[in-house]
Amino acid sequence: QLQLVESGGGLVQPGGSLRLSCAASGFTLDYYAIGWFRQAPGKEREGVSCISAIGGSTNYTDSVKGRFTISRDNAKNTVYLQMNSLKPEDTAVYYCAVDRGTSYSCSGSVPDYDFWGQGTQVTVSS
């Protein structure tokens, strides 16, 4: 059974940190670009960060640049999103997704991704 499972979400105070994990089962993440997305209540799902399959090229949306870092550990079949200096506006459900059509780059566009995890809630509040 093919699965993507996100974990690591939770409640954190402003300025705090969390590390999200996206673990795959039933297939290997090595060959695919992986994206992290988030969706806040009443808002559209937006791209946060992505990492390419080959070369490890990364992209970030402007609002998280300098605070979030995406990385992949192919030996563990897992992609991570390290989130530092969290702000209340980072509150959302965070999803990871697989783009099976891209190898050397990655996209922040939702329609480019064809396999999604179930999401993990991140709440930043004092």
Side-chain angles (χ1 to χ4, degrees):
Q1 184 178 3
L2 307 182
Q3 274 191 316
L4 280 176
V5 179
E6 302 95 334
S7 62
L11 173 63
V12 64
Q13 292 186 342
S17 298
L18 286 173
R19 187 177 79 156
L20 304 184
S21 299
C22 172
S25 60
F27 68 104
T28 302
L29 287 177
D30 300 23
Y31 306 120
Y32 308 119
I34 306 298
W36 280 101
F37 296 81
R38 66 186 178 187
Q39 188 166 18
K43 295 188 176 181
E44 292 187 355
R45 192 169 298 188
E46 65 168 347
V48 175
S49 181
C50 64
I51 186 166
S52 67
I54 299 174
S57 176
T58 59
N59 287 305
Y60 300 90
T61 192
D62 285 346
S63 62
V64 308
K65 284 180 180 176
R67 300 189 298 123
F68 290 12
T69 303
I70 191 170
S71 61
R72 62 195 305 157
D73 185 336
N74 290 338
K76 295 183 178 180
N77 212 23
T78 300
V79 173
Y80 302 99
L81 185 68
Q82 178 67 44
M83 307 188 296
N84 299 328
S85 302
L86 282 161
K87 304 175 181 181
E89 50 264 43
D90 294 319
T91 295
V93 178
Y94 282 70
Y95 301 88
C96 64
V98 173
D99 176 359
R100 290 180 280 192
T102 305
S103 296
Y104 289 92
S105 62
C106 66
S107 163
S109 177
V110 170
D112 289 338
Y113 290 78
D114 52 3
F115 191 70
W116 294 79
Q118 84 291 347
T120 185
Q121 176 70 46
V122 171
T123 303
V124 184
S125 175
S126 55

